[in-house]
Each structure stands twice: as C-alpha cells, then as structure tokens.
Amino acid sequence: MKAALVAGSPGGVRAVAQRRRTTRPGGDAVVEDVASLVDELRAASEHPVEAVGLVVPGIVDEATGTGVYSANLGWDDYPFRTEIAAATGLPAAFGHDVRAGGLAELRQGNARDLTSAVIMPIGTGIAAALVLDGRVSSAPGEIGHVDVGHGDPCGCGQTGCVEARASSAAIARRYVQRTNRQVNGAADVARLLTEGDADAAAVWREAVDALAKGILLIAALLGPQAVVLGGGLALAGPKLTDPLGGRLDELIAFHRRPELRLAALGDEAGCLGAALLAIDMLEDR
Amino acid sequence: MKAALVAGSPGGVRAVAQRRRTTRPGGDAVVEDVASLVDELRAASEHPVEAVGLVVPGIVDEATGTGVYSANLGWDDYPFRTEIAAATGLPAAFGHDVRAGGLAELRQGNARDLTSAVIMPIGTGIAAALVLDGRVSSAPGEIGHVDVGHGDPCGCGQTGCVEARASSAAIARRYVQRTNRQVNGAADVARLLTEGDADAAAVWREAVDALAKGILLIAALLGPQAVVLGGGLALAGPKLTDPLGGRLDELIAFHRRPELRLAALGDEAGCLGAALLAIDMLEDR
C-alpha cells in the first residue's frame, strides 16, 4: 500500500510525504488502513488535507465508486468511495490503479504531449490505461489477457495471453523452468541477456514477440500515437524497447505504428494519479 | 454514393429525400458529385439546406477534415471539408463512414441506451465504431484486421485477419473456393446453411469463430456493454447471433460478455450519421 500526501493542481502534483504498508486483504481492512495512513500523513506535514484519493487493482466501477472484484485482495462489490469518506470525514475519490497511473502520465509524465496513447505498466501482470481523444477511458484495457497465439495456458483460464509470456513474473518463471537456475526477477533475466546467456535471450525474445503482437492489436483497434511502457519491466529501457520496436516493424502492415516510450513516473504514478482524481473532484464541485 | 436530404435535431434525424449514384474515384470527382447531389436534393424538397455532411471510408482525420487515404477510392490527404464547403457554398462537416454510422446507432438506433458499445458493420470489409464513455471515439476500430490465429492471408498483407474469414465477401468467396459452386453473396450461403448444406455450415462456422475471437479481444480491451452487428451480414439475424453468442460463451473467461445486438438503421446509418455530424456542427457554432 503506497500512500502520499500530495500537493498541486489538476495540471500537476508532487508528493510531500510518503508511507508504505503491506496491504491487508479485504475492503474493511483497506479502509481502516487508509484512515490511519491519512492521520499519519496529516501529522507529518503542515499541509492541510482536503480530500482522499484511493485507487485499487481489479475490476473497478468508477461511476459508482465500487471495487467490483479483486481475486488477490478479496473483495466483491465493496463501496470504497462512501466507506473511505465515512472513515476519514473527507471527500473521497476512487478509481483504478492502472487508469489513475495513466492519468498521471498524461497530465505530468511521458504522455503529456499526446491525445491518444496506451499506457502499459508491466509487472506481475500487464494492463493498460487507454487515452483516447485526450481523456483516460474507463475501458478495462486488459491487454495482458488477449490471445496472441502462443498457446501457453494463463492463470486466467485462457491460452495465449500476452501476460503468460511477457509479464515480469512470467519472464522470471519461464527462465527458471527452462534452466532450473534461480533468478531474482525479470531484471536478472535482462542482465543475463546482456551477458550473452542463450536461455535468457530465448525467454526475452518470446516475451518481446507476445508484447509486439499485443501492441499490434492496440494499433489496429485504437491507433494510438504512442505506447508508454511502465512498471518494473520498463526499467530494462532500450533492452526492451529496441527489440520490441524491431518486432513491431516486422509485423505491422497498414496500421499506424505507435511510437514506443518509457513511462516517467515509475511506481509513484498510481499515488499521483489518485491525488489527481481527488483534485479533479474538488475542482468539479 | 448514398445521399439524403435529412431533417431533425442532434437527438434524431430522418431522410426526407434520397439519391444514389455510382462512386467515381478521386477526391475531386467526389466533391463534384456531392455538389450536384446537393443541388438535386435541394430542388426535390421544400426544406432549406443549411449544411452538408460527408462521410467516407478509409483513413480519415476528423480534426483536420482530411481524407488521409483510401486504397479503393484513390485519394491521399485530400482536404474534403474545405473543398465541399467551397463547392457547395455551405458549411460542411466531414467524417468516417463507419464512425458516423455508429453515431447514428448511438443517437437513434440500437445503441441509444448504451454508454459503451462497439458498432460493427460487416460487409465487403469489417470495421467498428467504438463508443466509450458515451461518445464515439476517433479511434480507427480496425477489428477486421486483427490476427485471430486462423493463418489465412488477408489482402492487407497480414495473416489471420477477422475479415479474411468473416466478411460477407470472404464468406461467399470461401464457399465458392470450397465447392466450385457459384453463390450470390453471403446471403446465399446463409440460405444454404438453413437447407443443411455441409459446406455452407463449415464456412459459416469458421466465420463465426473468427468473429467471436475478434469480439473477445474487444471484450478484453474495451469491455463494451454490447456489440451491435450491422451491414449486410447482420441481415442473417439469429443465424448469425445465435452461433456467435454460443461461441463467445465457450471462449470467454473473466471478461464481461458483451450483449450481441443487431443494428437498427441498415444502410441508411452512414447518411444519417453524416447529417448528425452536420447538425452537431451547426449547434456548436
């Protein structure tokens, strides 16, 4: 759980104090922890606290302020917005973590010159915020769970999902399965790749291929100016974007080839986006 | 070329006079024919003509009023909006045929109760208008040219495209290739299917499979409430929607299953949508 006291305007915000906690599952536990983090952050700064923004993963209904479903965090139609407002006594905004991170990249990160973009954090899973006509869409953007034809099973019950080969978790897992050697995440596989390890190269190439095919679908349906890669895997930088751009060039026919960019805000994006949702809500009153 | 004199408001319009002509290729020829159709329609009615709306296929830039590219109709960055205004002396709106048809279905057709929908006409080709957060997005929506894994080549240069198996043209062509018997379009194949023709059943099943996989991608990325099927193939009605819904139920894992609907406006949708673009433009002044 990442929390920050954030100051700024709808055009841009910055964190002035931060806290982290291990997330306890369940909606009630999250609300309780948010309320105590608000107290802590309030005590830590001279800034007055005017509103709370909370963003969560899973299926989110922004219109009703509901956490519809999260397998990992264990809730089902939990009314976060009203519960957070009741627990903190503050106006509360509620949204989806990936879409909020995309909003932050759009307002103050590496998508701020764009009117159409797909902002795609790649970590344990892969999802995307879809920026269309200058706005972050409420669409689910589940690019991690589209079938790109490799046939491997995915935890979601489908086969061929982008996430099953290209998430940081999948890259590390597939390297271990292939070699029986332990690695400390996808960053290790990226390092081994640079050192000329043939297994790392194969796993990396298959990840890049799955990602390129996912981006190709995005290019056909949405035609974004750019795909902005974030999350842990984007720390690989050109080791990711160079082969990915090359594979995309090979595959693309007549669709507009989106520019590939790296996200600017790192793992702060969600926090900043949550604050932007709260500030937008205050402005709209 | 379908032309209509249309009366109404942004909430709904109706055609009061109509004309059809064979399209002559080239931007200049289209502008000339539009100007003469405007004169004819003006003469045919008591209604004053206040504006012109033109919609075309291919790649369209709505913001600049440009026909960016059409392989079939032979233009390249043609400034339709300014040329139509100059040739007719009327304010001109310009857009994309499929997106304009989607706008008409959203305002007064079978998507009018929806805030998210994919409106997909299936004819010679397959494209889609994407309705997100209550608006028709400017996204290209090229669902006909996403790879769903069947491996057949497509005229676009890719393989596995939805359009290569599921367009009306592909269904008719594939039946002829398989049987060496002539048919008069996909409607004939649908009729043969009802009569128990095994080849028609096989071609139809493969078309349905490709469409279901395309809709699955849409469900993952966009999560629409409904997919609204239009164009010639949708005239097959439940012969299309029943097996398509069944296949979608088999394939879908955790994404929201979009409702399948048939479009309401038939081949008038583009004309009505063009008029809605023109009326919206007049209202915005």
Side-chain angles (χ1 to χ4, degrees):
Chain A
M1 210 169 200
K2 295 166 206 152
L5 183 69
V6 168
S9 70
V13 294
R14 68 193 157 76
V16 296
Q18 292 176 300
R19 292 288 183 280
R20 281 183 186 238
R21 281 199 193 169
T22 304
T23 307
R24 293 190 296 151
D28 287 338
V30 166
V31 168
E32 202 174 288
D33 290 346
V34 166
S36 97
L37 281 161
V38 168
D39 286 341
E40 259 187 55
L41 285 164
R42 199 198 297 256
S45 160
E46 304 295 297
H47 285 269
V49 176
E50 293 172 59
V52 181
L54 173 69
V55 301
V56 303
I59 303 176
V60 164
D61 186 333
E62 277 116 347
T64 61
T66 308
V68 177
Y69 182 68
S70 166
N72 294 331
L73 294 173
W75 56 67
D76 232 318
D77 283 328
Y78 189 89
F80 277 104
R81 195 169 57 209
T82 51
E83 293 295 324
I84 293 284
T88 61
L90 290 165
F94 177 70
H96 184 261
D97 59 351
V98 170
R99 294 198 281 282
L103 178 66
E105 288 290 342
L106 178 65
R107 294 271 181 89
Q108 65 187 95
N110 248 349
R112 69 185 175 285
D113 57 324
L114 304 174
T115 57
S116 66
V118 170
I119 297 149
M120 197 191 300
I122 306 176
T124 316
I126 303 178
L130 313 180
V131 175
L132 297 165
D133 301 311
R135 281 180 293 266
V136 179
S137 162
S138 68
E142 291 275 7
I143 187 63
H145 298 287
V146 297
D147 182 356
V148 291
H150 57 66
D152 290 358
C154 179
C156 79
Q158 302 184 130
T159 58
C161 290
V162 173
E163 189 169 304
R165 288 205 165 177
S167 69
S168 300
I171 290 171
R173 185 188 67 240
R174 298 185 80 233
Y175 183 83
V176 172
Q177 282 167 348
R178 192 183 171 99
T179 62
N180 273 319
R181 292 196 293 275
Q182 286 308 309
V183 288
N184 192 10
D188 261 12
V189 181
R191 185 182 46 74
L192 288 161
L193 172 78
T194 314
E195 292 170 5
D197 181 305
D199 294 303
V203 167
W204 198 260
R205 191 169 53 243
E206 289 171 349
V208 161
D209 186 68
L211 272 180
K213 286 174 178 162
I215 292 172
L216 201 62
L217 297 174
I218 285 172
L221 274 182
L222 305 177
Q225 294 165 287
V227 172
V228 181
L229 302 161
L233 199 68
L235 299 175
K239 272 193 252 183
L240 176 64
T241 51
D242 287 354
L244 185 55
R247 188 70 185 116
L248 204 49
D249 288 335
E250 284 168 14
L251 292 170
I252 209 156
F254 71 101
H255 307 307
R256 170 158 78 172
R257 155 73 152 83
E259 187 189 335
L260 298 181
R261 297 186 180 185
L262 297 169
L265 303 176
D267 73 352
E268 252 199 325
C271 255
L272 299 178
L276 288 166
L277 292 178
I279 289 173
D280 285 357
M281 171 191 68
L282 293 177
E283 295 270 320
D284 283 350
R285 290 193 159 192
Chain B
M1 210 169 203
K2 295 166 206 150
L5 184 67
V6 168
S9 70
V13 295
R14 67 194 158 78
V16 295
Q18 290 177 301
R19 292 288 183 279
R20 281 183 186 240
R21 281 198 192 171
T22 304
T23 308
R24 294 190 295 151
D28 287 338
V30 166
V31 168
E32 203 174 287
D33 291 346
V34 166
S36 97
L37 282 162
V38 168
D39 286 342
E40 259 186 56
L41 285 165
R42 200 198 297 256
S45 162
E46 304 295 296
H47 285 270
V49 176
E50 293 172 61
V52 182
L54 174 69
V55 301
V56 302
I59 302 175
V60 163
D61 185 334
E62 277 117 349
T64 62
T66 307
V68 177
Y69 182 68
S70 166
N72 295 331
L73 294 172
W75 56 67
D76 232 319
D77 282 327
Y78 190 89
F80 277 104
R81 195 168 58 209
T82 51
E83 292 295 325
I84 292 284
T88 60
L90 290 165
F94 177 71
H96 184 261
D97 59 352
V98 171
R99 293 197 282 280
L103 179 65
E105 288 289 342
L106 178 64
R107 294 270 182 90
Q108 64 186 96
N110 249 348
R112 70 185 175 284
D113 57 324
L114 304 174
T115 57
S116 66
V118 170
I119 296 150
M120 196 190 302
I122 306 175
T124 317
I126 303 178
L130 313 181
V131 175
L132 297 165
D133 301 311
R135 282 180 293 265
V136 179
S137 161
S138 68
E142 291 276 6
I143 187 64
H145 298 287
V146 297
D147 183 354
V148 290
H150 58 67
D152 291 357
C154 179
C156 80
Q158 303 184 132
T159 58
C161 289
V162 173
E163 188 168 307
R165 290 207 163 174
S167 70
S168 300
I171 290 171
R173 186 189 65 240
R174 298 185 79 233
Y175 184 83
V176 173
Q177 283 168 350
R178 190 180 172 100
T179 61
N180 271 319
R181 294 196 292 274
Q182 285 308 307
V183 288
N184 192 10
D188 262 11
V189 181
R191 185 182 47 73
L192 289 161
L193 171 77
T194 314
E195 293 168 5
D197 181 305
D199 294 304
V203 167
W204 198 261
R205 192 170 51 242
E206 288 171 351
V208 162
D209 186 68
L211 272 181
K213 286 174 179 162
I215 291 172
L216 201 61
L217 297 174
I218 286 172
L221 274 181
L222 305 177
Q225 293 164 286
V227 172
V228 181
L229 301 161
L233 199 67
L235 299 176
K239 273 192 251 184
L240 177 63
T241 50
D242 287 353
L244 185 55
R247 187 72 183 114
L248 203 50
D249 288 334
E250 283 168 14
L251 291 170
I252 208 155
F254 71 101
H255 309 305
R256 170 159 77 173
R257 154 75 152 80
E259 188 189 336
L260 298 180
R261 296 187 181 186
L262 297 168
L265 303 175
D267 74 351
E268 252 200 324
C271 255
L272 299 178
L276 289 167
L277 292 178
I279 288 173
D280 285 356
M281 172 191 68
L282 293 176
E283 294 270 318
D284 283 350
R285 290 190 158 194

